[in-house]
């Protein structure tokens, strides 16, 4: 079976191709000029193109389906070489703004949310991906390809900056080596050039792996899926809390190297009657005191198999106001793509066997 070119960092490739500077050219053609075939790389000698064709493929990940949302988000379903399916979402964070002279005043801003595993072992109670169990880790290239294929599909100018969040299917820290490699490949200036400071790794809170990630000094941003302020509630939502409780997560975050201009994001999924009270908000302020933290409140978006309910709008507003009044930065994340299956695992589940067989 051919090797997937996206699994190779430019440094690895330069040890394979001769002369080594050809690796940079290959990166530029694949990641910036969106070549889909080595024969397109006209600056390479014919023999090298043939050798690349013999050894590598560029098609280990392909787009199997897309869903457009009215708010500009697009959900992608990808097919892997072994026929498994994964998802990524292109989120429109800010629309293009045109001034009165019809010039672009502000560019559109995008974030791509990528998957890191086929399925997931963590088993969060509110998650659709968890229902399908765990199949396998994604390779670094399979993670990188989600960004490349979306940029290529949209024909985005190569210099178009975007953010990447590791928040799709899977627990990134359960696949740390491949995720770390993907972060490095995505940030390579001769490729997609997405700085680690524009990449956010979101974890369910595997404390020792947060420490290990910090020691790697990748410069990547960190987000913690906290979702509850006491271990008892968190355990019912996230069984992983039995192994790594809230205290251990906060200790690991304290040891994590944070860029002084940045903050650690704490994701807090608000669920009606579970964690949406002002008492919870009080505990959250106490828990995060002394940390460079930002809270991202997300109103639960019910899926078909959900046993939980969305919080009332007033409860979300009061919760946010309480945090802000006490100096804790807090935003309410807009539920983008509500008219598509936006939560992780939903598109894959909806298309079910059909998606897996595509
Ligand atoms: S929310 Fe994330 S970590 Fe939890 S089961 Fe779903 S994919 Fe896994």
């Amino acid at each position: 079976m051919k090797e997937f070119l996206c699994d190779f960092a430019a440094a690895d490739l330069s040890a394979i191709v001769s002369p080594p500077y050809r690796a940079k050219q290959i990166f530029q053609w694949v990641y910036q000029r969106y070549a889909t075939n080595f024969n397109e790389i006209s600056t390479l000698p014919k023999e090298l193109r043939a050798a690349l064709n013999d050894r590598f493929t560029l098609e280990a990940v392909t787009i199997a389906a897309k869903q457009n949302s009215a708010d500009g988000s697009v959900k992608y379903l990808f097919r892997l070489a072994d026929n498994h399916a994964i998802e990524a979402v292109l989120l429109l964070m800010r629309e293009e703004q045109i001034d009165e002279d019809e010039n672009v005043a502000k560019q559109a801003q995008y974030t791509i949310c990528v998957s890191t595993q086929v399925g997931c072992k963590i088993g969060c109670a509110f998650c659709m991906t968890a229902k399908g169990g765990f199949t396998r880790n994604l390779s670094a290239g399979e993670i990188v390809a989600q960004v490349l294929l979306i940029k290529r599909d949209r024909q985005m100018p190569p210099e178009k900056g975007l953010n990447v969040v590791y928040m799709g299917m899977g627990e990134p820290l359960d696949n740390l080596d491949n995720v770390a490699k993907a972060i490095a490949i995505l940030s390579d200036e001769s490729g997609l050039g997405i700085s680690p400071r524009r990449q956010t790794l979101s974890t369910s809170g595997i404390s020792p792996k947060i420490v290990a990630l910090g020691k790697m000094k990748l410069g990547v941003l960190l987000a913690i899926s906290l979702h509850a302020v006491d271990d008892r509630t968190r355990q019912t939502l996230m069984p992983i809390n039995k192994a790594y409780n809230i205290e251990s997560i906060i200790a690991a975050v304290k040891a994590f190297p944070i860029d002084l201009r940045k903050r650690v994001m704490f994701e807090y999924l608000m669920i009606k009657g579970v964690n949406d009270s002002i008492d919870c908000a009080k505990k959250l302020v106490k828990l995060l005191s002394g940390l460079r933290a930002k809270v991202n409140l997300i109103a639960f978006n019910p899926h078909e198999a959900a046993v939980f309910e969305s919080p009332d709008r007033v409860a979300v507003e009061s919760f946010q106001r309480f945090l802000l009044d006490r100096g804790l930065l807090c935003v309410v994340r807009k539920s983008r793509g509500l008219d598509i299956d936006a939560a992780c695992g939903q598109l894959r589940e909806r298309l079910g066997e059909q998606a897996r067989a595509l």
Side-chain angles (χ1 to χ4, degrees):
M1 202 164 118
K2 289 186 183 181
E3 294 170 272
F4 187 26
L5 189 97
C6 294
D7 278 320
F8 289 77
D12 302 333
L13 211 53
S14 63
I16 296 170
V17 294
S18 170
Y21 70 83
R22 295 288 189 200
K24 209 171 166 184
Q25 279 181 332
I26 296 167
F27 252 56
Q28 284 163 345
W29 275 83
V30 170
Y31 292 109
Q32 299 179 358
R33 302 182 71 162
Y34 302 144
T36 55
N37 186 307
F38 296 112
N39 295 328
E40 287 174 39
I41 311 182
S42 53
T43 50
L44 296 182
K46 220 168 140 193
E47 305 71 50
L48 181 53
R49 279 184 261 159
L52 289 169
N53 271 321
D54 284 346
R55 176 159 178 179
F56 297 107
T57 176
L58 283 167
E59 291 173 343
V61 180
T62 50
I63 296 173
K66 279 192 276 184
Q67 265 188 337
N68 293 302
S69 159
D71 66 11
S73 306
V74 187
K75 187 150 196 166
Y76 285 81
L77 185 79
F78 295 102
R79 179 175 53 87
L80 307 177
D82 57 5
N83 265 335
H84 289 301
I86 53 160
E87 302 173 359
V89 189
L90 174 73
L91 296 158
L92 177 62
M93 307 307 282
R94 186 184 74 198
E95 286 190 45
E96 187 179 81
Q97 290 172 19
I98 308 286
D99 64 18
E100 57 266 19
D101 300 324
E102 309 262 306
N103 296 319
V104 176
K106 278 191 181 152
Q107 298 272 351
Q109 270 183 6
Y110 294 98
T111 292
I112 295 179
C113 173
V114 296
S115 293
T116 53
Q117 297 179 313
V118 182
C120 186
K121 292 178 202 158
I122 305 296
C124 301
F126 48 80
C127 174
M128 198 70 181
T129 297
K131 312 247 178 288
F134 173 76
T135 305
R136 71 167 173 86
N137 282 330
L138 294 186
S139 73
E142 287 170 331
I143 298 168
V144 168
Q146 296 170 56
V147 181
L148 171 64
L149 265 65
I150 290 177
K151 261 190 113 172
R152 192 167 80 196
D153 182 57
R154 310 280 300 185
Q155 283 299 303
M156 283 186 193
E159 68 282 2
K160 171 83 204 145
L162 42 79
N163 299 314
V164 171
V165 291
Y166 297 84
M167 249 180 225
M169 291 164 60
E171 162 55 64
L173 292 185
D174 193 30
N175 185 17
L176 180 53
D177 289 345
N178 289 342
V179 170
K181 193 172 173 192
I183 291 166
I185 297 173
L186 285 171
S187 62
D188 191 315
E189 286 296 331
S190 55
L192 289 165
I194 302 168
S195 153
R197 274 170 187 72
R198 301 190 76 160
Q199 301 186 47
T200 304
L201 188 151
S202 174
T203 174
S204 60
I206 306 178
S207 315
K209 294 278 182 80
I210 295 173
V211 175
L213 175 72
K215 286 187 180 154
M216 288 177 163
K217 294 204 166 49
L218 300 175
V220 74
L221 306 182
L222 183 66
I224 306 288
S225 298
L226 191 65
H227 307 324
V229 287
D230 63 89
D231 284 324
R232 204 160 59 91
T233 310
R234 195 165 190 272
Q235 249 153 252
T236 60
L237 296 174
M238 307 176 76
I240 184 89
N241 198 75
K242 286 184 196 133
Y244 310 109
N245 65 12
I246 295 175
E247 195 187 343
S248 77
I249 295 170
I250 299 294
V253 171
K254 281 187 176 153
F256 192 84
I258 306 165
D259 184 321
L260 282 180
R261 290 158 300 173
K262 303 285 184 184
R263 290 169 189 273
V264 173
M265 178 82 79
F266 286 85
E267 308 280 343
Y268 195 92
L269 185 70
M270 287 188 73
I271 303 171
K272 189 173 189 168
V274 174
N275 61 1
D276 60 345
S277 68
I278 288 299
D279 192 42
C280 290
K282 255 184 221 165
K283 287 185 182 146
L284 188 56
V285 171
K286 199 165 164 213
L287 204 59
L288 303 185
S289 70
L291 277 175
R292 290 185 55 76
K294 180 176 175 181
V295 175
N296 212 351
L297 290 181
I298 312 139
F300 179 66
N301 174 17
H303 48 73
E304 282 158 10
V307 290
F308 300 116
E309 287 177 59
S310 294
D312 297 331
R313 194 171 50 84
V314 179
V316 178
E317 285 169 2
S318 311
F319 200 104
Q320 183 191 26
R321 178 61 29 224
F322 187 91
L323 301 190
L324 289 174
D325 286 349
R326 277 139 195 94
L328 183 53
L329 219 62
C330 172
V331 292
V332 178
R333 193 159 90 200
K334 276 197 225 154
S335 282
R336 290 189 172 76
L338 265 183
D339 57 336
I340 58 175
D341 303 302
C344 66
Q346 289 190 34
L347 180 63
R348 180 172 170 262
E349 287 308 317
R350 171 138 327 169
L351 296 182
E353 288 312 315
Q354 181 197 339
R356 275 160 230 168
L358 275 168

